[in-house]
Amino acid sequence: MEEKWLVGVDIGGTTIKMAFINQNGEIIDKWEIPSNVNEKGKHIPINIAKSINQTLDKLGQEKQNLIGIGIGAPGPINLATGSVDVAINLGWENFPLKNLLEIETSLPVIVDNDANVAALGEMWKGAGGGSKNILCVTLGTGVGGGIIANGEIVHGVNGSGGEIGHITSIMEGGLHCNCGKTGCIETIASATGIVRLMIEELSSNNVPSKLRDFYEEYQTLSSELVFDMANEGDELANKVIRKVTLYLGLALAHLANGLNPEKIIIGGGVSKAGDALLVPLKEQFTRFAFPRVSQGVELTIATLGNDAGVMGGAWLVKKGLLNKRENIPLHF
């Protein structure tokens, strides 16, 4: 191997995605393993280490050719120690991820919040296109986010910067959120929030809707189905999408008015709706944003998909280890 590789790791509640990535941001190999949450997730570091070794063997490479490991992990991160304060879906509490993985791999490790890391990936090789002032919002089961200013993640005083999903959008009478507050944008614009709003509409009136028949027969809905029916002109589905984009557009406008970003990138499963989401969202964003802010920003859909986390992890290594050590200017 002439060029040393970066290792990107994206830890989720179900799977752990990993990749070897060269210093130009090209994926050499990527794979995933199950997240073993038995015994409060204590086996995860050694499973990651074993999987890295196995993949090196498969490729006929040596560990000495790896520069380091960058990890996106769920939950608040203690940036000083690389430990995860709490990750309920993994069973972690004050979990020393960096220290354990460095022991298992003998490689330097950098840990950050998974949403922040995904934002870095999009900045480097995704929809960010090298822009250094970005809002990245992930609309999935919940709502995550990362804020990048001048090429740096905004962590804040205790690592809680970028909690876009917990902007209060409904001040009184909002749904209880997992964070302990009520009315968070996560309860509205997430995949689960969209389904909840749709069920509320179906339950509160008798307006004809294909979704009503589907829900009564199968007792299940998805955000994807809501967008599909909205595209077909379903009145209730469009009403829900208008409500979602109203609140999300308002929240993003408030953030943009303070940060004046170049790009707002929308990712996560809900973003697969494409223009059905983006067009009404842009309308609401423009309605609420300061005109000069609105003129300077581009709203766009994320492009890296499931690779955003591993690509961002690789960027952590590139920025935090390789370039610092060798005093090389960063290139996007």
Side-chain angles (χ1 to χ4, degrees), residues 36-297:
N36 184 352
V37 298
N38 294 328
E39 300 181 79
K40 297 185 177 180
K42 74 175 187 179
H43 302 290
I44 287 176
I46 193 168
N47 288 348
I48 292 173
K50 287 180 177 178
S51 185
I52 289 173
N53 289 338
Q54 289 167 356
T55 306
L56 283 171
D57 290 342
K58 181 188 77 172
L59 298 175
Q61 302 295 338
E62 300 293 332
K63 186 180 291 185
Q64 65 187 21
N65 292 322
L66 301 179
I67 298 167
I69 303 171
I71 299 182
I77 308 298
N78 184 321
L79 297 172
T81 64
S83 64
V84 180
D85 290 347
V86 60
I88 296 173
N89 58 343
L90 299 174
W92 289 351
E93 185 173 351
N94 297 319
F95 189 79
L97 179 59
K98 170 183 166 68
N99 289 342
L100 291 174
L101 194 54
E102 286 184 338
I103 291 170
E104 295 294 342
T105 63
S106 301
L107 291 168
V109 174
I110 301 177
V111 182
D112 206 328
N113 172 265
D114 54 358
N116 287 341
V117 171
L120 290 171
E122 288 289 344
M123 175 189 74
W124 185 25
K125 289 296 176 180
S131 301
K132 296 182 180 180
N133 293 280
I134 295 171
L135 289 176
C136 191
V137 186
T138 304
L139 308 177
T141 304
V143 174
I147 299 173
I148 299 175
N150 296 321
E152 300 285 344
I153 282 288
V154 175
H155 290 108
V157 68
N158 64 3
S160 297
E163 288 291 352
I164 294 171
H166 301 292
I167 294 173
T168 299
S169 297
I170 299 178
M171 291 181 289
E172 302 292 342
L175 191 72
H176 186 81
C177 180
N178 288 332
C179 75
K181 301 196 297 99
T182 59
C184 294
I185 191 65
E186 180 169 298
T187 68
I188 301 166
S190 64
T192 50
I194 293 169
V195 169
R196 178 184 63 82
L197 291 174
M198 192 69 245
I199 292 174
E200 287 181 357
E201 286 296 328
L202 294 173
S203 302
S204 63
N205 60 66
N206 294 314
V207 175
S209 171
K210 291 182 180 179
L211 287 166
R212 187 185 305 282
D213 298 334
F214 186 90
Y215 182 64
E216 288 176 355
E217 182 174 354
Y218 298 105
Q219 289 297 300
T220 184
L221 289 175
S222 67
S223 60
E224 180 181 8
L225 187 59
V226 174
F227 277 103
D228 287 344
M229 290 300 101
N231 283 332
E232 292 184 14
D234 188 280
E235 181 180 343
L236 288 187
N238 275 296
K239 182 177 180 181
V240 167
I241 300 308
R242 286 195 298 271
K243 186 172 185 178
V244 169
T245 53
L246 167 67
Y247 284 113
L248 183 58
L250 176 62
L252 294 179
H254 285 331
L255 286 167
N257 285 345
L259 295 162
N260 193 197
E262 183 177 354
K263 290 191 177 184
I264 298 177
I265 300 171
I266 312 297
V270 174
S271 73
K272 294 177 182 178
D275 284 346
L277 169 69
L278 202 58
V279 171
L281 181 59
K282 285 180 178 178
E283 291 176 358
Q284 297 297 344
F285 174 83
T286 302
R287 173 185 172 191
F288 296 117
F290 182 64
R292 281 181 61 83
V293 169
S294 179
Q295 292 162 10
V297 70

